Amino acid sequence: MKNVHVINHPLVQHKLSLMRMKDTSTGKFRTLLRELSILLGYEVTRNMPMTSVRIETPLGYEMDAPVLQKKKMALIPILRAGNGMLEGFLQLMPTCKVGHIGLYRDVQTASVVEYYFKVPKDIKTRHALVLDPMLATGYSAVAAVSRLKEKQPKSIDLVCILAAPEGIRYLQEHHPDVTVYTAGIDEGLDEKKYIIPGIGDAGDRLYGTL
Ligand code: URA
């Protein structure tokens, strides 16, 4: 699939399998989600632009040492499960600014309703990374990206733990410019729109509200 990166590093796959297990506790699930986020963040940032600075080492040698060019990022978790990915990303990139988008699904109309939206004031100067563990139908992802585009960040990418082919297709139809990073792509959705075989309800498992 175009613009989709599946991170199949052994540590990522191992941790994803632990998250899938139904007996994994809330505390363990939370830790795994944070750890997976760090590992995904490592891959997402793989092609960050570099420059060099002249430095002197303790041994008195000078060298041109590679350092990151300033690339300003904004992390945008979708509430509430996206918050479980935030800490891991902030550990890697502690100077990122953070926005939040709160969305819920209206069961009567099946439409996505926004209940919270706050992003950094200088978002136009930043590259946005939308964080949401599950890309299921893609409805929330499309709503979040559409809303974010109104604020004109320099670019938008999406990081999830698990994606369904339906969600990827829907997102690509609406926002072909968005790259998706994920630890896995599962078979599809069940009648309740859960990803199968999946990891269950990510928000409930993260916060122990099952
Ligand atoms: N959201 C979840 O938390 N889990 C799914 O399987 C689908 C959407």
Side-chain angles (χ1 to χ4, degrees):
M1 284 179 187
K2 203 164 59 79
N3 282 355
V4 179
H5 295 274
V6 180
I7 316 297
N8 49 20
H9 187 286
L11 279 175
V12 169
Q13 293 307 311
H14 179 77
K15 288 176 191 297
L16 175 59
S17 295
L18 295 177
M19 288 179 81
R20 289 182 187 278
M21 293 175 188
K22 68 180 172 60
D23 291 330
T24 296
S25 68
T26 298
K28 182 77 183 159
F29 187 90
R30 201 175 283 155
T31 301
L32 287 164
L33 183 55
R34 180 173 50 77
E35 292 171 348
L36 255 186
S37 301
I38 296 172
L39 294 169
L40 293 181
Y42 179 74
E43 290 295 334
V44 170
T45 52
R46 176 173 288 281
N47 296 315
M48 273 186 146
M50 302 293 293
T51 183
S52 65
V53 289
R54 194 77 188 158
I55 60 160
E56 186 181 346
T57 73
L59 298 176
Y61 288 89
E62 285 200 354
M63 66 176 286
D64 292 317
V67 291
L68 288 170
Q69 255 178 42
K70 280 224 160 27
K71 181 175 180 184
K72 296 208 293 185
M73 311 279 291
L75 302 172
I76 316 286
I78 301 183
L79 300 174
R80 67 183 162 148
N83 256 1
M85 299 175 72
L86 182 60
E87 197 190 318
F89 272 84
L90 282 175
Q91 263 180 270
L92 270 188
M93 298 183 283
T95 61
C96 280
K97 287 192 176 175
V98 178
H100 289 91
I101 303 180
L103 302 170
Y104 73 88
R105 186 101 190 277
D106 186 314
V107 280
Q108 309 292 341
T109 63
S111 57
V112 176
V113 181
E114 178 187 305
Y115 64 90
Y116 190 81
F117 184 87
K118 190 150 194 173
V119 295
K121 281 204 172 60
D122 61 353
I123 189 86
K124 277 191 185 166
T125 66
R126 293 179 180 269
H127 297 267
L129 275 185
V130 175
L131 309 178
D132 192 358
M134 309 302 276
L135 178 59
T137 59
Y139 300 160
S140 301
V142 166
V145 171
S146 301
R147 185 72 166 92
L148 210 44
K149 278 186 175 174
E150 291 173 14
K151 301 289 177 187
Q152 303 175 347
K154 281 177 177 269
S155 66
I156 304 176
D157 291 323
L158 182 129
V159 192
C160 61
I161 301 298
L162 209 50
E166 293 91 327
I168 294 173
R169 259 195 309 276
Y170 190 70
L171 180 61
Q172 288 186 332
E173 276 164 24
H174 289 80
H175 297 296
D177 52 324
V178 171
T179 297
V180 174
Y181 296 88
T182 183
I185 301 176
D186 269 7
E187 282 165 28
L189 302 174
D190 70 6
E191 66 286 351
K192 289 184 173 163
K193 308 297 183 200
Y194 280 101
I195 297 178
I196 50 171
I199 62 174
D201 188 302
D204 279 342
R205 295 199 66 197
L206 177 65
Y207 294 113
T209 47
L210 275 170

